[in-house]
Amino acid sequence: VLETVDSTNNFAKAVAAQGAPHGTVILSDHQSGGRGRRGRSFSSPKGMGIYCSVVLRYDVPPEKLLHLTTVIAEATRRALAAETGLDVGIKWTNDLVLEKRKLCGILTELSLEAETGLTGYVIPGTGVNCGQQPADFPPEIRDMAISLEQALGRPLDRCALAAEMIRQYHLATSEMLTNPGPWLAGYRAHCLTLGQDVQILQGDQIRLAH
């Protein structure tokens, strides 16, 4: 548990490279350089969110882990439901949303072993907006983001939520290779983008998927 860090994913990658074992969890009260997908920043003010990364080690080819972000999203949704009672939706593939606004983002990064082509480690990082009010969000995302405190109308116990997230991550990552079905079913049941057109971004190219 850190007071501040540039990015919990960066810190997790550093300790993973030094041999940190499967299941190592990094939490920080603040990120100075929180990151999202495609190089975007993730606003991470001190004392207002849960910023969490997990070191996972699976001795499998990376294609076996394609649904990891999906499983982590469902695990996060279950933790939020258990601690807040809120009906949070999932926006494919890696955002959790509430009232059509972003509540949580997930960034998954991995390392490959060149000799074997197997995964060295994989790190899912999760950022949950907990205590922000509208003025705490950067102006460019103020209308697109929401916090749990805004939705609940009251403060919440970040430690209790973080503990439940870690518990759900332990369950999910223990079953990801052997019994992913219930987690994927939960994801589908709460996915808001099923049946809708989505854009797939690959480098500078954008294509429509149905």
Side-chain angles (χ1 to χ4, degrees):
V1 178
L2 307 171
E3 182 175 345
T4 187
V5 71
D6 61 341
S7 158
T8 57
N9 264 32
N10 285 350
F11 191 94
K13 286 190 289 186
V15 298
Q18 295 167 9
H22 176 87
T24 299
V25 178
I26 310 299
L27 290 164
S28 185
D29 193 43
H30 167 256
Q31 294 184 120
S32 60
R35 295 182 292 113
R37 292 179 69 231
R38 299 178 61 80
R40 299 186 181 99
S41 63
F42 185 88
S43 176
S44 311
K46 180 177 176 59
M48 293 187 182
I50 293 174
Y51 317 117
C52 173
S53 296
V54 185
V55 177
L56 302 173
R57 296 189 184 276
Y58 298 106
D59 192 23
V60 297
E63 56 267 25
K64 295 287 188 180
L65 302 175
L66 288 176
H67 55 288
L68 174 62
T69 301
T70 301
V71 169
I72 291 294
E74 170 59 10
T76 306
R77 186 203 64 78
R78 291 187 187 186
L80 289 166
E83 287 299 312
T84 70
L86 293 171
D87 185 17
V88 177
I90 302 172
K91 180 182 175 184
W92 183 82
T93 57
N94 66 323
D95 288 342
L96 275 68
V97 298
L98 192 61
E99 300 174 13
K100 299 183 178 180
R101 291 185 285 173
K102 182 172 178 176
L103 175 68
C104 166
I106 300 169
L107 175 66
T108 302
E109 299 179 283
L110 61 80
S111 170
L112 294 178
E113 295 181 355
E115 295 83 359
T116 64
L118 301 179
T119 305
Y121 58 79
V122 58
I123 296 173
T126 309
V128 183
N129 300 327
C130 293
Q132 293 94 331
Q133 295 301 319
D136 297 314
F137 291 112
E140 63 272 18
I141 65 168
R142 197 163 290 162
D143 295 334
M144 299 182 289
I146 191 171
S147 73
L148 291 171
E149 188 169 318
Q150 285 177 274
L152 293 169
R154 59 172 174 80
L156 78 155
D157 186 336
R158 284 189 302 151
C159 292
L161 177 56
E164 181 62 18
M165 286 169 59
I166 293 168
R167 190 179 79 85
Q168 293 290 345
Y169 293 165
H170 172 70
L171 294 172
T173 56
S174 297
E175 297 182 343
M176 195 189 69
L177 296 180
T178 59
N179 186 33
W183 301 94
L184 299 179
Y187 182 98
R188 292 188 192 98
H190 295 88
C191 183
L192 304 178
T193 40
L194 288 178
Q196 299 185 33
D197 292 340
V198 297
Q199 288 183 331
I200 296 179
L201 309 179
Q202 293 179 307
D204 295 330
Q205 296 184 337
I206 302 176
R207 60 187 178 90
L208 193 65
H210 302 281

